[in-house]
Amino acid sequence: MSGNQALNINNGIGGSADLQITTNGSDWYWAVCAVMTLASLVFLGLSFTKPRTHRLFHYITAAITLTAAIAYFSMGAGLGQVPIQAEFVRSNPAVAAAGTREIFYVRYIDWFVTTPLLLLDLLLTSGLPWPTILITILMDEFMIVTGLVGALTRSSYKWGYYVFGNLAFFYVVYVLVFVARKHAAALGPNVSRTYLTCGVLTIFLWFLYPIAWGLSEGGNVIHPDSEAIFYGILDLLAKPVFGALLLWGHRNISPAELGLHIHDYDEMPNAYGVREKTNGHNGVNNGVTNGTNGATAVNTV
């Protein structure tokens, strides 16, 4: 046999739905997996052009696309899914066969990991205090979990979870638009420009995800292949494209400008609490004097 046989090989694992992706949908998922994998390698490769203390955003961004690559690998293979009774039976021939519809729970596992990391990228860039970052990420997790539970619910009660998820989403948008934007603006034009570019892209795309959910898992309006294309395009823009824009913006931004004081193993604090590179001789610094007699200061550990 030739061609993509993943769906045939994994047929029946996790149950078979009346309405599920075809080989075309599987091919698309594999293509997105390849892009996510390539982006991960590029982001990790770029991290080696930076000092270890400046790699935080490279690592976070690579983790986002790598997690997505694993999720798309699973969906391309027809794994990580479960058949759920569709609430609405449509007259549209594309979805008329639906008694049960294929729901990819692995997509939500992906989002549960990656959307907090996306927010972490953005909110660390804005210089937000940690308590605000934590509550925003918590609301994001709430949004993803309610989306998953709603997708797995057979009855109209799924729309209750949809409402709860959107309420959490609106809180996240509020933080991004009003709170984080002001913090980023206070940190200078480079930070503000990077935050606005990535923040506007994220908010625009995230408003489209509830629409995709309503047309697919929620309302059974579009075929799973169309669902794959819809979510796939959103994820490609929200992850590799977002990551490229973010890292490009961070090329002229030091973590210290954002209040991120990251230290390497070969640095030690001086008398003023500033960490400096040592010369390898028991903590003697490189030419810093004590300001009175010109003698070289010695910092003890």
Side-chain angles (χ1 to χ4, degrees), residues 183-208:
H183 276 77
L187 295 177
N190 286 336
V191 174
S192 181
R193 186 183 311 110
T194 300
Y195 176 79
L196 286 176
T197 300
C198 297
V200 168
L201 175 65
T202 298
I203 293 170
F204 170 72
L205 294 174
W206 281 25
F207 265 106
L208 297 178

Side-chain angles (χ1 to χ4, degrees), residues 130 132 152 174 233 281 284:
W130 277 107
T132 307
L152 298 177
Y174 165 77
I233 292 174
H281 298 291
V284 181

Side-chain angles (χ1 to χ4, degrees), residues 56-57 60 119-127 130 133 258 260:
L56 174 63
F57 291 95
I60 293 175
L119 286 176
L120 195 60
D121 261 344
L122 271 177
L123 300 182
L124 287 178
T125 298
S126 72
W130 277 107
I133 293 177
L258 308 176
L260 300 172

